[in-house]
Amino acid sequence: MKKFTKIILKILKWIGISLASILFLMFIIPLLFPGTISKQVKIFANKHLAGELDYKKTHLTFFRHFPSLTVSVDDLLLKGSKPFQKDTLLAAREVAAGINLKNLIFDGEVKIDEIYVTDAFANVFVNTKGEANYNVYVSKPSNKPKDTTEKGASIKLDLIKFRNINIKYNDHAARVLVDAKGLNYTGKGGLSQDVFDLETDLDINSLDFSLDRIWYAKQKTLHADLITRINTNALTFVLRKNELRINELPLKFTGFLSILKDGYDLDIKAASEKTTIRDMLSVLPPQYLDWVKDTKIEGNSDLFFNLKGKFSEAKNLKPRLKARLLVQNGFISSGNAPVPMNNLNMDLNVDLPDLNTDQLGIDLKKLNFDLGRNNNFRAVVQTKGLKEMMVKADIKGAVNLQTLDNALGLKNIDIRGLLDTKIKANGLFSLEKKLFPKTNGYLNLKNGWLQTKYYPNPIQNINIAAHITNTDGTFKSLGVKLDPFKFDFEGNPVFVNADLQNFEDLLYKVKAKGVLNVGRIYKVFAKKGLDISGLIMADLALNGRQSYASSGQYSKLDNRGNLILKNIKATTEYLPKSFYIKEGNFEFENEKMWFRKFFATYGKSDFALNGHLINTINYFIERKGTLHGKFVLNSGYILIDEFMALKNGDNTDQSIEVEYAKVENPKSSGVVIIPKNLDVSLGVNAKRVEFKGLDLNNLRGMASVNKGEVNLKETSFDIIGSRMKIDARYQDESPLTANFDVALNVLDFNVQKAYKEIDMVREMATAAKNVKGIVSIDYKLKGDFDENMMPIYPSLEGGGVVNLRDVEVRNLKMLSAVGSNIGAKAFDNPDMKGVNIETHIKNNLIHADKFTFKVSILRPTISGTTSFNGLLDLRIRVGILPGGIIGFPIVVTGTHDKPQVKIFSKTGQGIIDALYNRKYNKVIREEKRAEKKSRRQQKKEKAAQEAKAKTAEKEIVTDLRRK
């Protein structure tokens, strides 16, 4: 017994010594190597990271991720690669790297074989140009042979652990958004090898996924158990064992993904076989999951999915998507519903080649359900394409909507009525080719009723009898009859009768009468954001043929009646704010739609319109083309700034181009976007128009809007006390760029006031700072606006004359420098009254023709070139009495702030003009000082530059006259 006790004590003793030694080593090793590790990790980061890296503290310890020795970085912040250097790519409470102890102790090398990231946010972004913010790892190839004896930090991973990570992947080029919250990930394998199997355990608390702003997943939970074979040489991922669970729906994946130089190549197959309808419904949006939980749902379902092909934005390649959903023997019954939905079966196939919706194929081979005897629905639908769509459909059903409501247990909506429909269609639908499938069918709804929890009163007595026929597959034989469509809402009956025949040359008979409270209708459907209650009152009788209006046979039309709108809110995809139509009284008179009273506001701006649109019925029938009209517009105040596309506003339904431009240019205002479907002339009378802090008062003139262009003719306004006349043209190119032409004429312009109040004057005419008095200007310019609707100076072309009618010039540096060199202080205060200065602008250079003025008894004549950035290349001839016949030459180079003067010289130093790409609105080259050349070469180049500038000025006048 004693011997046994001794053995036990010895074992315990050695265990204690071993544990103490291990604890001692775990304590002492971080103290022995902190300098080595911290230094080598920092060197590694600086060598291989292009993004800015910042963190608070570093730790070397065994105890954070026991038993691994880890170097931990607290509160890490990593910025993105160019052009996203200021944006966060990764922010984490802790990023830790596991160190290989063997290499550290025996070789003094830092080998990283584990990575831990905790409580982090990753923001991965690709802009519309395909530029990504995650290219922060820099691999620097070398021609030198590899030094195998070199010591330093290296990465050979065997383990990756992410805990509580939020990842947002926003790809504007592919129009993809993935937002994953609460991500936990463990990856194991020989990650340091060229080819290895990565074992993955992944959980995501909330996953959102959208493509082209269509949400395919919202707040979904996800669990993944994966084995992926990774080839790091070829950057290929082969999915070997890949089991996912989205909410309650299991999915199995197989296939591969290869990363290419300009995109990726993939072939991924997914399947969820032999699951239940309840599991399938678990992937519905979160607001419907309570309904799934409280409803009896039975039946089987299968889902198959395949995504195959290459994606390359540069080569315009996209993969093909195929999907199939099968539902069999479905049964849905809510609570004590007297009749369940039974025999629910569906076979839906989707084919999307190149992810191109114009090639979208939908094959609904079967959809049917029963709601008891004589209460069933059947549908078979096949379509191919979108703009040109092949259609084959057979739909038939007679459904009691109240029975359907009870069976499904719809909680927020109460629907009633008898719905009976039978439609057969076969053929090609194309608006452009005016083709319509051969069709015969009807849809009848009797005694309909609709009420939601959002509004106390129902829409009731809904009756619809719609019949559609087409006998030969063309628009000519297409007929639609709506007799009647009527309903009651809050005691106001509304009815519409329509008989439409021959859509190739539409013969229409339409009657509409009723009062509709739009604000309350919106509340019925819980539409948020409508903070006004609007009214539409209609009493219309429209009778005619489409060609009568287009061919000018207006006497054959019989369109009459009134449409009154009050307090209606309207938005457009290109404006950041909503229009509020306070009152709109429209009268239809044959081909014209008269605006008898129209008062509207947009932000701080107000508008009153009086006039008419021509051929509106034809426009709304075709849903394309151009609206023509003539109006008088009166306004007390128009603030142009609030029309700029990227400004903040209440409109949340702007175009995807505007949305992406706003994200990528958060500090930009954008430009004003003009509708492309208007051809309207306007007599404008506005008391005050404001643009970027500049006030234009008493604006009067003629404006026209045509195919996205705005033209101003014989327009005048008061600006800083002077009356300016302009002809102008404006056209947007994108939400971020626009182009313009303007010819302006202004008398008695106060130079100092303009310099103080107008940014453009300060930037274009810096010398105006030293000028006081009155000038007259006759000038033409064309150019481009940038993302803040400011002129891009290298884009400007044009020229004109500035008349110094009554001015005083003091202490202009260039003239003062000339005076100092020739001993004539009078150059500090020259007499320039009545002088005409003619200039021409192109490629950021301003070329001045010869002009002469007085300086005491001297007669200087100046000509030459200057740039918007202040470079000078001027020739001055200083004439001496009598009459300036005798004189001597001077050359001024340098800059406005530091002029360089050479007396008795005719050889200056030219300026190479800027290069500007008008197609891409990009400055390719800034102007710069030329190398010294002979006087003859300089004179030849200068003459060529001036000729181009004068030609540009003439083109502006020609273009404006043509418009």
Side-chain angles (χ1 to χ4, degrees):
M1 190 68 184
K2 287 182 180 179
K3 191 174 182 181
F4 179 74
T5 305
K6 275 187 175 183
I7 292 171
I8 294 297
L9 288 172
K10 271 189 177 183
I11 292 171
L12 291 173
K13 179 181 175 182
W14 282 109
I15 289 172
I17 291 170
S18 299
L19 287 173
S21 300
I22 291 170
L23 289 172
F24 176 74
L25 287 171
M26 293 176 73
F27 175 77
I28 198 68
I29 287 174
L31 299 179
L32 294 174
F33 297 98
T36 302
I37 292 172
S38 180
K39 182 180 178 182
Q40 290 188 16
V41 169
K42 186 167 281 189
I43 290 170
F44 179 86
N46 289 335
K47 274 185 179 180
H48 295 283
L49 291 180
E52 180 187 340
L53 178 68
D54 192 18
Y55 52 84
K56 281 190 177 179
K57 291 181 181 178
T58 59
H59 302 274
L60 185 62
T61 178
F62 282 94
F63 299 103
R64 283 201 172 185
H65 300 279
F66 184 83
S68 298
L69 173 64
T70 58
V71 56
S72 301
V73 177
D74 291 348
D75 298 328
L76 177 138
L77 180 65
L78 176 63
K79 299 290 182 72
S81 54
K82 290 183 179 181
F84 309 102
Q85 310 95 305
K86 296 181 180 179
D87 299 331
T88 298
L89 173 61
L90 175 67
R93 183 177 64 81
E94 181 203 27
V95 175
I99 308 299
N100 186 300
L101 267 181
K102 175 181 173 294
N103 292 98
L104 178 65
I105 294 172
F106 296 106
D107 302 325
E109 295 178 317
V110 177
K111 299 293 183 184
I112 298 171
D113 56 13
E114 298 175 352
I115 291 289
Y116 303 86
V117 181
T118 307
D119 297 336
F121 169 68
N123 179 38
V124 182
F125 180 68
V126 182
N127 67 16
T128 48
K129 299 175 184 177
E131 298 169 326
N133 70 340
Y134 54 77
N135 294 318
V136 292
Y137 183 80
V138 179
S139 178
K140 297 182 179 179
S142 175
N143 296 325
K144 295 180 181 179
K146 187 175 180 180
D147 184 0
T148 57
T149 64
E150 184 182 1
K151 294 183 179 181
S154 63
I155 295 179
K156 289 189 175 182
L157 294 177
D158 294 312
L159 175 67
I160 297 175
K161 274 193 177 183
F162 294 160
R163 289 293 175 267
N164 191 28
I165 311 296
N166 295 338
I167 297 176
K168 188 172 185 180
Y169 175 78
N170 196 352
D171 190 334
H172 285 183
R175 297 189 174 185
V176 169
L177 175 63
V178 179
D179 194 357
K181 295 182 175 70
L183 181 147
N184 294 284
Y185 170 89
T186 301
K188 295 179 182 178
L191 282 75
S192 59
Q193 300 171 16
D194 292 340
V195 180
F196 62 92
D197 285 343
L198 175 65
E199 297 179 17
T200 296
D201 185 28
L202 172 69
D203 284 290
I204 298 175
N205 294 336
S206 176
L207 176 68
D208 299 345
F209 170 71
S210 75
L211 174 63
D212 207 6
R213 289 204 299 191
I214 299 173
W215 290 100
Y216 294 92
K218 198 79 171 169
Q219 297 180 30
K220 303 302 172 199
T221 61
L222 185 144
H223 173 74
D225 184 8
L226 316 173
I227 297 178
T228 307
R229 174 151 291 180
I230 299 177
N231 185 332
T232 58
N233 293 322
L235 280 179
T236 299
F237 304 82
V238 179
L239 308 177
R240 301 186 67 194
K241 174 195 172 186
N242 296 277
E243 298 177 357
L244 294 181
R245 182 172 292 276
I246 303 173
N247 284 7
E248 301 301 321
L249 181 68
L251 283 172
K252 290 185 178 180
F253 281 78
T254 58
F256 72 88
L257 169 67
S258 293
I259 307 298
L260 307 176
K261 185 177 180 181
D262 58 352
Y264 49 82
D265 184 15
L266 78 167
D267 184 0
I268 296 176
K269 297 180 178 68
S272 178
E273 298 181 82
K274 298 179 181 179
T275 57
T276 67
I277 297 175
R278 178 176 288 277
D279 292 339
M280 188 70 66
L281 293 176
S282 73
V283 301
L284 286 172
Q287 61 266 34
Y288 299 107
L289 295 183
D290 286 341
W291 169 79
V292 173
K293 190 186 300 181
D294 299 337
T295 304
K296 185 178 180 181
I297 301 172
E298 297 175 359
N300 302 316
S301 70
D302 297 281
L303 175 66
F304 303 94
F305 171 96
N306 179 224
L307 188 61
K308 182 178 181 180
K310 292 182 179 180
F311 176 86
S312 171
E313 190 69 26
K315 296 177 181 176
N316 196 27
L317 295 175
K318 291 184 180 178
R320 182 174 196 154
L321 170 67
K322 287 185 176 182
R324 186 182 186 190
L325 174 62
L326 287 169
V327 175
Q328 293 177 314
N329 303 319
F331 175 94
I332 299 176
S333 180
S334 174
N336 298 317
V339 180
M341 176 185 281
N342 206 356
N343 298 318
L344 173 61
N345 294 279
M346 179 168 61
D347 185 355
L348 174 64
N349 295 265
V350 177
D351 185 13
L352 188 58
D354 299 323
L355 296 181
N356 182 356
T357 53
D358 287 335
Q359 300 182 48
L360 174 64
I362 295 176
D363 186 1
L364 181 62
K365 293 183 177 181
K366 177 171 53 179
L367 173 62
N368 59 265
F369 61 85
D370 299 334
L371 288 162
R373 189 177 177 185
N374 299 323
N375 205 345
N376 51 61
F377 183 85
R378 305 281 185 274
V380 176
V381 179
Q382 290 178 307
T383 68
K384 179 69 175 178
L386 204 62
K387 288 182 181 177
E388 288 193 3
M389 182 187 293
M390 282 299 302
V391 179
K392 187 175 182 180
D394 187 353
I395 301 169
K396 184 179 180 181
V399 178
N400 186 314
L401 297 180
Q402 188 170 10
T403 304
L404 179 64
D405 188 333
N406 292 335
L408 296 178
L410 302 179
K411 295 180 179 179
N412 299 328
I413 189 170
D414 180 12
I415 54 174
R416 304 176 195 173
L418 299 175
L419 178 66
D420 181 21
T421 183
K422 184 178 180 181
I423 299 173
K424 281 192 174 184
N426 190 359
L428 180 65
F429 172 75
S430 171
L431 282 174
E432 288 186 2
K433 296 179 179 178
K434 295 191 174 182
L435 297 175
F436 196 91
K438 292 180 182 179
T439 305
N440 186 21
Y442 64 85
L443 184 148
N444 292 333
L445 174 62
K446 294 181 180 179
N447 302 318
W449 168 292
L450 174 64
Q451 186 171 11
T452 69
K453 73 171 188 177
Y454 308 106
Y455 195 72
N457 299 327
I459 303 173
Q460 55 189 348
N461 298 324
I462 307 169
N463 286 275
I464 302 172
H467 297 263
I468 180 169
T469 58
N470 186 289
T471 57
D472 64 4
T474 69
F475 269 29
K476 190 171 185 178
S477 70
L478 176 60
V480 177
K481 186 175 282 189
L482 200 63
D483 186 16
F485 169 44
K486 60 183 180 181
F487 63 88
D488 294 342
F489 183 59
E490 297 209 318
N492 293 317
V494 175
F495 77 86
V496 177
N497 283 34
D499 187 0
L500 310 175
Q501 302 293 328
N502 185 6
F503 279 66
E504 197 169 284
D505 181 12
L506 187 66
L507 179 66
Y508 57 89
K509 292 181 181 179
V510 179
K511 288 184 179 180
K513 189 171 184 177
V515 177
L516 193 61
N517 191 317
V518 178
R520 293 178 186 177
I521 282 282
Y522 267 64
K523 288 178 183 177
V524 169
F525 297 99
K527 287 286 185 182
K528 296 180 180 178
L530 192 80
D531 49 7
I532 55 173
S533 56
L535 286 176
I536 298 178
M537 291 170 276
D539 187 359
L540 297 173
L542 310 175
N543 191 348
R545 187 180 286 277
Q546 190 177 351
S547 61
Y548 294 164
S550 57
S551 62
Q553 301 177 68
Y554 302 129
S555 61
K556 294 183 178 181
L557 294 171
D558 185 15
N559 299 326
R560 59 187 184 277
N562 293 284
L563 183 67
I564 298 173
L565 308 181
K566 288 190 176 180
N567 298 325
I568 296 294
K569 177 181 179 180
T571 58
T572 172
E573 61 178 350
Y574 296 115
L575 288 176
K577 296 183 179 181
S578 301
F579 272 100
Y580 291 88
I581 303 173
K582 292 185 173 181
E583 183 177 1
N585 192 335
F586 307 99
E587 183 179 336
F588 288 82
E589 183 185 343
N590 293 336
E591 82 281 10
K592 293 179 180 177
M593 178 181 176
W594 288 93
F595 286 54
R596 296 302 186 191
K597 284 184 181 178
F598 185 89
F599 302 106
T601 60
Y602 176 86
K604 297 178 181 178
S605 306
D606 61 84
F607 307 91
L609 280 175
N610 192 288
H612 66 266
L613 288 173
I614 298 176
N615 200 18
T616 52
I617 295 170
N618 185 32
Y619 170 80
F620 288 112
I621 289 170
E622 291 198 337
R623 303 299 299 164
K624 63 178 183 178
T626 303
L627 273 173
H628 304 274
K630 188 173 184 180
F631 294 92
V632 173
L633 184 151
N634 291 287
S635 175
Y637 178 63
I638 299 175
L639 178 59
I640 294 175
D641 302 40
E642 62 187 0
F643 288 85
M644 296 175 189
L646 307 191
K647 286 280 189 176
N648 291 327
D650 64 331
N651 185 7
T652 57
D653 295 320
Q654 289 182 268
S655 72
I656 195 167
E657 292 80 11
V658 171
E659 180 185 310
Y660 282 173
K662 190 179 291 187
V663 171
E664 295 177 18
N665 303 271
K667 296 183 180 179
S668 300
S669 65
V671 300
V672 178
I673 297 177
I674 308 300
K676 306 297 185 287
N677 59 346
L678 289 180
D679 179 12
V680 176
S681 64
L682 295 164
V684 182
N685 184 0
K687 290 182 180 179
R688 182 184 169 208
V689 177
E690 187 177 348
F691 175 58
K692 290 191 170 290
L694 183 65
D695 279 335
L696 314 177
N697 297 304
N698 301 316
L699 186 146
R700 294 184 182 88
M702 290 300 301
S704 65
V705 180
N706 188 12
K707 295 180 181 178
E709 278 191 359
V710 176
N711 286 276
L712 299 177
K713 293 283 187 182
E714 299 175 1
T715 302
S716 63
F717 49 82
D718 296 328
I719 179 171
I720 59 171
S722 303
R723 193 71 183 168
M724 181 179 286
K725 299 177 183 178
I726 69 166
D727 287 347
R729 181 199 62 83
Y730 170 89
Q731 183 178 33
D732 63 272
E733 299 168 353
S734 76
L736 294 166
T737 55
N739 59 73
F740 68 92
D741 300 87
V742 61
L744 59 91
N745 185 283
V746 58
L747 299 174
D748 301 334
F749 197 61
N750 188 309
V751 180
Q752 269 302 295
K753 200 170 182 181
Y755 184 84
K756 290 176 182 177
E757 297 183 20
I758 305 176
D759 293 339
M760 193 171 172
V761 171
R762 284 197 296 275
E763 293 175 12
M764 289 185 64
T766 54
K769 181 179 180 181
N770 302 292
V771 178
K772 293 182 180 179
I774 304 299
V775 302
S776 296
I777 300 171
D778 187 0
Y779 224 82
K780 292 93 182 172
L781 276 178
K782 75 174 180 179
D784 293 333
F785 283 124
D786 65 12
E787 67 274 9
N788 289 305
M789 209 162 168
M790 292 295 291
I792 302 172
Y793 286 100
S795 76
L796 296 180
E797 297 180 4
V801 177
V802 178
N803 175 258
L804 310 181
R805 191 170 67 80
D806 184 12
V807 300
E808 185 179 295
V809 180
R810 290 185 179 275
N811 302 317
L812 187 62
K813 285 187 178 181
M814 185 272 291
L815 291 178
S816 296
V818 172
S820 296
N821 277 269
I822 64 173
K825 289 187 177 180
F827 270 89
D828 291 340
N829 185 20
D831 180 5
M832 289 192 169
K833 292 180 181 178
V835 173
N836 284 337
I837 302 176
E838 185 171 353
T839 57
H840 311 280
I841 296 173
K842 190 174 174 67
N843 294 333
N844 223 39
L845 299 186
I846 308 164
H847 305 283
D849 290 354
K850 289 181 180 180
F851 64 93
T852 303
F853 55 97
K854 296 179 183 179
V855 175
S856 184
I857 61 172
L858 305 177
R859 297 293 183 272
T861 299
I862 298 179
S863 65
T865 302
T866 182
S867 80
F868 285 117
N869 290 325
L871 297 179
L872 297 175
D873 183 32
L874 301 176
R875 276 77 171 162
I876 303 177
R877 181 184 181 278
V878 180
I880 307 172
L881 287 176
I885 297 173
I886 302 171
F888 58 91
I890 297 175
V891 167
V892 182
T893 57
T895 66
H896 284 298
D897 292 329
K898 294 181 180 179
Q900 298 174 6
V901 179
K902 290 192 290 185
I903 306 174
F904 300 110
S905 175
K906 293 183 179 179
T907 304
Q909 190 174 3
I911 304 170
I912 297 176
D913 55 5
L915 285 182
Y916 178 76
N917 187 314
R918 197 167 296 280
K919 181 178 179 180
Y920 297 103
N921 303 97
K922 186 175 181 180
V923 179
I924 298 171
R925 180 187 73 200
E926 301 279 353
E927 79 274 16
K928 60 182 179 179
R929 182 66 69 186
E931 296 178 4
K932 291 188 177 181
K933 296 179 181 179
S934 68
R935 184 185 170 201
R936 185 177 180 181
Q937 286 175 308
Q938 289 185 31
K939 195 172 182 181
K940 185 177 180 181
E941 290 177 1
K942 182 185 170 187
Q945 287 178 340
E946 289 177 349
K948 287 180 181 178
K950 288 180 180 179
T951 301
E953 181 186 346
K954 293 175 182 176
E955 287 175 354
I956 296 168
V957 177
T958 304
D959 288 345
L960 286 171
R961 283 176 181 167
R962 190 184 297 124
K963 297 294 181 184

